[in-house]
Amino acid sequence: MPRIEFGAGVLQKLPSIIEGYGRHVLLVTSANSFPNSVHWQPLLDQFKQQHITWQHATVAAEPSPALIDEYVKIYAGSKFAAVVGIGGGSALDTAKAVAGLLQVQHSVMDYLEGVGLELPYQGPAVPFIAVPTTAGTGSEATKNAVLSVQGKNGFKKSFRHDKLVAEYAIVDPDLLASCPPNVIAANGMDALTQLLESFVSTRANPMTDALAMSGLQAVRDALLPLYQQQGELTQQAQYREKMAYGALLSGITLAQAGLGSVHGLASPLGAFYPIPHGAVCGTLLAAATKINIGSMQVRDPANSALVKYQQVAEILCQQSFNNQKAAFSALLETQTQWTEALALPRLSHYGLQAAHLDRVITHCRDSSMRTNPIVLSDEEVRQILLTRL
């Protein structure tokens, strides 16, 4: 787990943190959003004042293995003290993977799970510093960089190792101020899904449970009003803080406990279709919750995750329930209302058709699906997809 700096304005600590490693860094950012923000030039001015030099790489979309290999080839000769990722999940995952390979100079394909040679990664990695500018993926707290190849033979796989964990996570809620509503919606539902799935995961434990419940409360209170731009400036700042907190906890809990069926499906859907990861999470969460609960009630009624789903219902709905039936009904209604309120499109919007479901189902049994609270049949997975087609 990284050392964490959290709170409004902590971005100003970045130059001093970098100095602890050296004075020459690779900055990896989104192509436009952060470099065009009010924070970019003041940060560069701080670097100049503290005699920190940098080179700058950008990421315009979800990173591919080819992009990682290209940047490693370009920058391998530079002696960077650290790699600093500033942006959403794509920028952080790119920075994380590049930091892991600059001194190794293997293709990232040699290490990706489920494809290529799957060589054991041994490092060394250049120190990585993560500065998230969105509240969703939790990549600042995880050991995996998610890389994609999109298309008919595409895939979405992780380069994963403990050596890739960030040295520091600098989580400044002020950086969320420039996020447009559609980014807030997709990323927020990603964080919510990660918190819920890690809470009911087969690898959950008391520590991750406590963090997940705290994160769920934060996202419950902040996501919709932040998306709808409710409240005065002070209230908006509070909402950003809660969302940044919830997203950070979602990264910690998923790293420790794993995820579930929504993220299992997100891998092939994101590989085969141009579907943003957060949009997959947001549009499938209610359907996956319904199938999980129904399957456990029929095949495994003693499963402890049923009790946990009731706890989630009480957190998100902010009320107690006398029985599970009422709790589950309220939970599903709330999740569906959130999906609609956040204007998350159906999967068919991105080109998915009923005739293509078999291919998605065949490729959904990755590590995320393996920690789902119950093993779902192909037909049950199909029902999740059909609900939001």
Side-chain angles (χ1 to χ4, degrees), residues 154-199:
F155 59 80
K156 194 167 191 174
K157 299 292 183 180
S158 287
F159 172 28
R160 189 191 313 263
H161 197 274
D162 290 341
K163 293 180 185 294
L164 303 183
V165 174
E167 293 275 322
Y168 276 90
I170 301 175
V171 185
D172 188 337
D174 285 350
L175 300 181
L176 305 182
S178 60
C179 286
N182 65 313
V183 172
I184 291 170
N187 281 276
M189 288 302 285
D190 187 12
L192 177 67
T193 303
Q194 289 172 171
L195 290 162
L196 192 157
E197 289 194 322
S198 60
F199 185 57

